[in-house]
Amino acid sequence: MLDDSLKSQLAAYLERLREPVQLIATLDEREASAEMRELLQEIAALNPLVEARFDGNDARKPSFQISRKGADMGLRFAAIPMGHEFTSLVLALLQAGGHPPKLEAEVIAQIQALEGDFAFETYMSLTCHNCPDVVQALNLMAVLNPRIRHVAIDGGLFEAEVADRKIMAVPTIFLNGQPFGSGRMEIGEILARIDTGAAARDAAKLAQKDVFDVLIVGGGPAGAAAAVYAARKGIKTGIVAERFGGQTLDTLGIENFISVLETQGPKFAAALEAHARHYDVDIMNGQRVEKLEPALQPGGTSTITLANGAQLRGKTLILSTGARWRNVNVPGEAEYRNKGVAYCPHCDGPLFKGRKVAVIGGGNSGVEAAIDLAGIVEHVSLIEFADALKADAVLVDKLKSLPNVAIHVNAQTTEITGDGQKVTGLRYKDRASGAEHSVELAGVFVQIGLVPNTEWLKGTLELSKYGEIIVDAKGATSLPGIFAAGDATTVPYKQIIIAAGEGAKAALSAFDHLIRHGANG
């Protein structure tokens, strides 16, 4: 199962174990069970503190529990955790073996203090780059609190469960047998939902913070760059974000950030956060901003109000709220989201293996999605509103070479149809002839660009007709002392490297504003 390179890396990691760990497997006659046995035996052979047993009695076969010897930790994989989940396996081994997690002491205490019984089940796929965050968060919670149990389930190994529970997107999480959530979730988001007093405690703590010299809203590349540039000036810098990393968390591969030949989105996002923390930036993650009250005069303070009611103040603000996937806004899209309507082909594509799907959108993201899906599904229909595909020529040529892809241009999606539980098809109109067409499908992947996260700013500062924050050459908005950067603004070309540059520019402009209007005002 493991090549020599992986064995060498894993052996080095296992040197960090402090206490003995047991791998307790429940197997059956399937080939996957043989593979799981081989994997666990190879892991156990790498370190004497790891023991592999094959006398488990779990209902799911194959599966294995990871537990500190003498304990009964509720951490289980109903999967052979390779691919994107190999890191989840390594972390689970280390944490079960007493290696301290990289988590704030107050969050650890919050998890350990949770009362009640929490049985989590996460359905994931090994090709999903959003799934590991959820799996790793819940695994760690199971290590820290004996009343929390978690099993990570590979949907490809347990197809009957996936069909019975009507799961058509990953990650999908159940708590105590009931739907809990879907999509990427970090440990703070999970805690906020199960710890009923967390929001009030969080709000009270945030409300006590002093005025920031530079307060940044949004934690993507623009916000992170702004934070680093501001903090390096020696001024009090804070960054409040709903998800630190922004869109990069949902990006599989990054190959065009100059000097970084190739990386993955979540890894890039972690590097952004680490860089900001290096300069003692006050990072307030998992917080949604709902209101802006600008300063009444130059040198005054602006106030933002969070969803939990807390207010934060800054002598200058930098708005870098980014953007999100644009919806088609046709009947059936909202009703069948995560029931056949999906936005991440890498995450959810394997759930449609051997079936027919559509991709809406003929730009680079849409064509790349169609190419990826064509290697998994039976057939792909690509639907493009314009009269030609807008993707790069090399991608279009690749797409046209695939035998199981049909391209429909000048096609307006009019409805996504379903049977009340899942997607069954799509309707589109030929914009040239007016003819209506129906396509039978199991899934629809929407890839039609981005919409800025600026709804909360309407009526406060000047926005373009597309909802983008209008900025000048220095990143200044229509309000003094308030700057903006990244995909939420009118700056063209929504690229990571451009967002980062604009964030740095906005921070320098904010610093200049503080100098001119009094840094201590």
Side-chain angles (χ1 to χ4, degrees), residues 233-286:
K233 295 294 185 181
I235 56 180
K236 183 174 175 59
T237 304
I239 183 167
V240 57
E242 194 163 356
R243 293 195 313 160
F244 202 101
Q247 291 176 57
T248 63
L249 290 168
D250 304 320
T251 304
L252 182 60
I254 298 172
E255 300 177 353
N256 57 358
F257 194 88
I258 307 306
S259 84
V260 179
L261 188 63
E262 181 181 1
T263 188
Q264 292 182 332
K267 182 178 179 181
F268 185 83
L272 291 178
E273 183 171 352
H275 200 170
R277 290 192 184 279
H278 177 74
Y279 290 104
D280 293 326
V281 173
D282 189 344
I283 296 176
M284 296 157 279
N285 202 10

Side-chain angles (χ1 to χ4, degrees), residues 168-230:
M168 303 191 75
V170 291
T172 292
I173 311 163
F174 284 77
L175 172 58
N176 297 335
Q178 299 300 315
F180 177 78
S182 63
R184 178 190 295 274
M185 295 180 74
E186 296 182 349
I187 204 161
E189 297 173 76
I190 297 168
L191 282 172
R193 294 188 58 180
I194 63 175
D195 186 353
T196 55
R201 293 196 304 271
D202 208 18
K205 184 173 65 174
L206 290 170
Q208 296 174 6
K209 292 184 180 291
D210 292 332
V211 177
F212 291 93
D213 292 315
V214 177
L215 179 57
I216 301 157
V217 181
V228 169
Y229 266 73

